[in-house]
Each structure stands twice: as structure tokens, then as C-alpha cells.
Amino acid sequence: MTTKPIPAPAKKRTSIGSRRNPEAETAVLAAAKDLISEKGYAGFSVDEVARRAGAGKTTIYRWYPTKADLFIAIYTAERSTFVPVPDTGNLVEELVQYTTSLWRFWESHPAGAALRGLIAEAQGTPEALSALRDRFLPDRTADVRRMLSGGAARGELRADEVDDKVALWVGFSWFKLLVGELHDEGAIKSVMMQIAEVRRDS
């Protein structure tokens, strides 16, 4: 039986003061991405990222105060590569295309499983909850908010409904992520149609 060799520590990279060294940051993000792929969020540690990248832990913590912040950085870069933001002029079409691409990314990429780990950790760790609520969600729901706001500008829904509909979209998508039903793409269109529907006051 053979075992996978442990990657050797990278050559130590020097800092350039308060500014980020682009070479060092690239190495840190690459090491973090590899570690997430190998061990998932539970086995992810800043110590191991620092060892592999040849970077100082204090430097990494200055850039990314928690392991959740470092994960968010690599998640954001990967999601932006694999999940295009449609612009069709039709809200339901845009939401369906975007949600379908995102679910496929979550199902096929280690970042999807790692996001489940971050959500779980956020239930018991104030630092992870803060990172998820204050730094992850605002940026990662910006695309959906932009699509909904565009639909409101076209008269497809009311502008005062956007916040509630963002919350509905997040709740639906995260539910499917957490219970492992990302293959259920058939549900996407019907739910997106409900999210895009104009609420009528009684």
C-alpha cells in the first residue's frame, strides 16, 4: 500500500511591508485551494497553508483574519470563473441560468462541500458566523440582487421586494446545498418563477 507524499514546504517568501506581495498571495491562495480539495473545510488550516506556501502565518492572518476569510477568498475566485452572470433581459431566465450554473459548481467543485463546512462552523463559532454573514453573503448575493434590481427596473417586480426575494433565493439554494439535492435542477424553474412573481397586497 502506498501513501501520498506530503508536499514539501515551499521556499520562504519575504514580505514587502503592509502591502501584499503578489507572488506570496498567489502562492497562499494556490496552497489553500489545494488543501481544500484534499481535506475539505474541516481539515483546512492556516498553519498548513502557510507551510505549503512558504509564507508566514502572521502575514496570512494579516490578510485573512480567520480561516473562514481565507476560504471566502478562494471560493470567490473559483466561483467567478465557473459561474457566469447572465444578462438576458428576462428575470426568470436569468435566475434559472445563474442558479443552475451555481448548483453545478457546488456539486462538482470542492468549494461546494467546503461551503457546507463553513455554514456548519458558523453555527458554533462567532468568527465564522461574522465572516459568513458580514463578508461572504453581501458579496456573494450581489449578482442575484443585481438581477432582481434589473427586473424591478423593467417592471417585472416591485423594488421594495428585492431584499425579501434575495433572502428567498438564498434560503432555497442553501437548503438544497445542505441536504445534498443539487441534482434536483427540475425544481429551479418553478421556484425562480415564484421568486420573480410580483407580490400583491391584500
Side-chain angles (χ1 to χ4, degrees), residues 73-197:
I74 58 172
Y75 175 94
T76 298
E78 293 295 291
R79 189 208 60 83
S80 298
T81 299
F82 291 98
V83 185
V85 181
D87 182 12
T88 68
N90 179 282
L91 180 56
V92 173
E93 289 180 4
E94 290 174 357
L95 290 173
V96 168
Q97 290 179 24
Y98 181 82
T99 306
T100 301
S101 296
L102 182 64
W103 286 20
R104 289 175 181 173
F105 168 66
W106 282 346
E107 191 167 33
S108 64
H109 196 282
L115 177 57
R116 285 199 299 270
L118 172 58
I119 294 170
E121 185 180 63
Q123 308 315 300
T125 306
E127 293 81 6
L129 177 60
S130 175
L132 184 70
R133 181 190 60 221
D134 302 330
R135 295 186 286 285
F136 182 87
L137 271 174
D139 286 344
R140 298 283 53 84
T141 57
D143 293 333
V144 173
R145 184 176 297 279
R146 193 157 45 246
M147 284 183 270
L148 288 165
S149 296
R154 294 189 297 268
E156 294 178 87
L157 72 157
R158 298 201 320 249
D160 63 356
E161 295 182 294
V162 169
D163 287 346
D164 288 345
K165 290 179 182 291
V166 170
L168 288 171
W169 180 87
V170 171
F172 171 64
S173 294
W174 281 19
F175 171 77
K176 291 296 188 179
L177 170 67
L178 292 173
V179 300
E181 294 183 355
L182 296 172
H183 57 279
D184 185 20
E185 294 183 4
I188 292 177
K189 185 170 183 179
S190 63
V191 174
M192 294 306 111
M193 289 177 67
Q194 293 176 55
I195 289 176
E197 185 179 5

Side-chain angles (χ1 to χ4, degrees), residues 39-56:
K39 298 187 177 182
Y41 190 80
F44 183 66
S45 75
V46 173
D47 285 2
E48 179 62 10
V49 170
R51 191 189 73 81
R52 294 187 181 197

